[in-house]
Amino acid sequence: MKGLSILFVLQGLSFFIQSLVNILEDKNGKFINLNFNPQLYIIGIFIGILFIFAGIGIGLRKKYAFYLSVSLCSLMSLYVLVGVVFLINQNSIGPLVLIAINLLIYLAIARYILKRKLYFNKH
């Protein structure tokens, strides 16, 4: 679980830093073919902070980390599924394989955490 905690912290740092850089550069956001306001990158900063808290909590075996990590993996799976729907509407199959791999990774991490619920009850 220590490796998973490090991966959660790194994932959170990447979301946080990328969103912060995009806000500072005032880039227009783009999700597949939809443009959105650059101020919506604040959501990425918030999710990055949640990933960092979940990673630290997993390392310290806190009970909140169990619920937060499963919720974040479910949220990211939903985000990937929305991307799949937009790619299917564009009739592009190539990137669909990469998105399917991301979906499987997030679902596998959520299942791994759910199977080790007793790990979080030790403290």
Side-chain angles (χ1 to χ4, degrees):
M1 287 297 241
K2 294 290 184 185
L4 187 61
S5 108
I6 292 170
L7 289 176
F8 264 77
V9 170
L10 290 176
Q11 180 76 31
L13 283 174
S14 70
F15 278 144
F16 181 80
I17 291 171
Q18 186 65 40
S19 296
L20 193 63
V21 166
N22 287 337
I23 285 176
L24 293 176
E25 291 181 354
D26 202 32
K27 281 187 177 178
N28 276 341
K30 186 166 182 158
F31 183 73
I32 309 297
N33 60 357
L34 301 173
N35 291 325
F36 58 86
N37 190 345
Q39 299 305 320
L40 288 177
Y41 281 116
I42 294 172
I43 296 170
I45 290 174
F46 180 69
I47 290 176
I49 290 171
L50 288 178
F51 263 102
I52 292 169
F53 281 148
I56 292 170
I58 290 171
L60 299 176
R61 297 181 179 190
K62 298 293 182 180
K63 187 71 170 178
Y64 74 86
F66 171 74
Y67 297 111
L68 185 59
S69 60
V70 171
S71 300
L72 285 172
C73 284
S74 301
L75 177 71
M76 293 308 294
S77 299
L78 182 64
Y79 173 75
V80 169
L81 281 175
V82 169
V84 167
V85 170
F86 282 123
L87 281 176
I88 288 174
N89 286 338
Q90 289 184 345
N91 294 328
S92 58
I93 300 298
L96 199 59
V97 174
L98 297 173
I99 289 178
I101 291 171
N102 285 336
L103 178 65
L104 290 176
I105 288 171
Y106 280 118
L107 291 175
I109 290 171
R111 184 161 171 84
Y112 178 80
I113 292 169
L114 283 171
K115 281 189 167 185
R116 281 145 185 85
K117 185 175 182 177
L118 292 177
Y119 173 83
F120 296 97
N121 290 331
K122 292 187 178 179
H123 286 105

